Amino acid sequence: MITPVILCGGNGSRLWPLSRQSCPKQYLKLSHNSKNSLLQNTYKRISSLKNVANPILICNEEHRFIAAEQMREISVNPHRILLEPFGRNTAPAIALSAIVALEKEQDPILLVLSADHEIRNENKFLEAIEIGLNYANDNKLVTFGVIPNTPETGYGYIKAKESFELNNINGYKIASFVEKPNYQKACEFLKDKRYSWNSGIFLFKARKILQEINELCPEIVNSCKNALNKSEYDLDFQRLKEKYFLQCPNKSIDVAVMEKTNEGIVIPLDAGWS
């Protein structure tokens, strides 16, 4: 079973004034060709995959009703909408999702998606996901590296151990993660076929990622378990206990796990991602 995990945080500041704190970009309809918001499209583009469960949404208090209503509009009943009292980056969000997913399924695969991405070629995207499932089922931690077409300084990069072959898509072992480069470095990365943009899309078994987080940063798992155990239900929402979530380290999954693990795999993604 594939459990989508949709990260709905963020205030969309880079798209101000179109995107405002009261309604960040993930809840907006930014394409003239789509009647759906970015959040709605995030789920709809993967809904044709086999064995897709209802999603887990990680949301903040302020936007909870917008997220719930937009899911209702596309006839999706989320498995859970977790409310973070404040942002703690992606590692805690993924740990929370893995714990919640394991309450329902023995060992589902988590497909972690940001709610504010646009992908123009959905067939290529789904093809990459299908390839990634083979690695995830083999207990690898899969991420997707977007093939760069400009020397972009606004994204982090992933360096694979080998050059990508786009006519025969496979997974590649990860050599390193690179912070947002300056323009000169970005130009070098564009020429080197081992580099890709870090999309922030992940695929892994729930037990495997929880095990890795627990081994590499156990305080994240402990804080998340406590925040869930003491949480409160409010209508369709599960509100995390602020006292315990406050103790959770503020770390991305890249820093907490992917930069340290030997199980990381990057799959090249050339699907019109933005």
Side-chain angles (χ1 to χ4, degrees):
M1 185 66 72
I2 302 170
T3 298
V5 174
I6 304 180
L7 308 179
C8 303
N11 57 21
S13 57
R14 282 188 288 188
L15 273 184
W16 187 91
L18 179 62
S19 173
R20 298 178 182 275
Q21 190 170 355
S22 59
C23 191
K25 65 179 178 293
Q26 57 267 33
Y27 304 114
L28 299 177
K29 300 171 184 177
L30 295 185
S31 171
H32 297 299
N33 301 324
S34 177
K35 62 181 180 180
N36 298 313
S37 70
L38 294 180
L39 168 61
Q40 291 169 326
N41 283 334
T42 298
Y43 182 80
K44 286 177 73 72
R45 75 170 58 99
I46 54 99
S47 60
S48 63
L49 290 169
K50 294 178 182 177
N51 300 320
V52 175
N54 286 334
I56 296 170
L57 270 60
I58 312 289
C59 190
N60 63 38
E61 181 85 19
E62 186 177 359
H63 306 129
R64 66 192 187 282
F65 291 119
I66 301 175
E69 174 63 16
Q70 290 199 355
M71 288 290 97
R72 187 197 64 79
E73 287 175 358
I74 59 171
S75 302
V76 173
N77 182 25
H79 171 55
R80 199 77 56 87
I81 301 178
L82 297 173
L83 301 183
E84 293 180 326
F86 33 74
R88 270 294 185 259
N89 222 311
T90 52
I94 289 169
L96 289 166
S97 303
I99 295 166
V100 167
L102 286 166
E103 292 172 0
K104 184 180 180 184
E105 302 286 339
Q106 185 173 356
D107 196 9
I109 289 176
L110 305 183
L111 174 55
V112 180
L113 304 160
S114 293
D116 59 354
H117 291 179
E118 182 176 359
I119 296 174
R120 290 189 291 276
N121 192 327
E122 294 188 1
N123 288 333
K124 277 193 172 183
F125 175 67
L126 293 175
E127 179 187 358
I129 297 294
E130 293 281 5
I131 292 168
L133 287 170
N134 296 324
Y135 291 94
N137 279 314
D138 196 29
N139 271 330
K140 299 300 181 185
L141 307 179
V142 179
T143 188
F144 296 84
V146 176
I147 301 303
N149 52 22
T150 58
E152 180 61 59
T153 59
Y155 302 139
Y157 285 69
I158 303 169
K159 181 183 179 182
K161 290 194 173 181
E162 301 173 65
S163 297
F164 294 125
E165 294 181 26
L166 297 184
N167 56 349
N168 183 25
I169 299 176
N170 283 303
Y172 296 77
K173 286 197 169 186
I174 295 171
S176 62
F177 284 77
V178 184
E179 293 297 320
K180 297 174 184 177
N182 60 32
Y183 182 74
Q184 182 180 347
K185 276 288 183 187
C187 289
E188 293 175 17
F189 294 166
L190 186 62
K191 295 175 185 176
D192 189 332
K193 300 308 177 187
R194 294 172 296 173
Y195 284 90
S196 57
W197 293 334
N198 187 353
S199 71
I201 301 171
F202 298 94
L203 195 63
F204 29 57
K205 286 185 177 180
R207 288 190 190 280
K208 179 64 176 176
I209 191 59
L210 203 57
Q211 173 191 331
E212 292 277 328
I213 298 172
N214 197 43
E215 286 180 3
L216 296 167
C217 197
E219 55 270 35
I220 289 179
V221 176
N222 292 334
S223 300
C224 287
K225 284 182 176 178
N226 288 333
L228 281 169
N229 289 338
K230 302 296 183 180
S231 64
E232 298 176 355
Y233 286 90
D234 176 12
L235 300 174
D236 296 328
F237 312 105
Q238 185 174 1
R239 185 175 282 109
L240 300 172
K241 190 69 173 179
E242 182 173 344
K243 171 185 173 182
Y244 296 104
F245 199 58
L246 186 63
Q247 299 166 6
C248 197
N250 185 357
K251 289 189 176 182
S252 70
I253 197 67
D254 295 340
V255 171
V257 174
M258 298 300 290
E259 292 179 356
K260 301 179 178 73
T261 184
N262 293 319
E263 306 291 344
I265 293 290
V266 58
I267 289 177
L269 182 63
D270 189 16
W273 174 92
S274 173

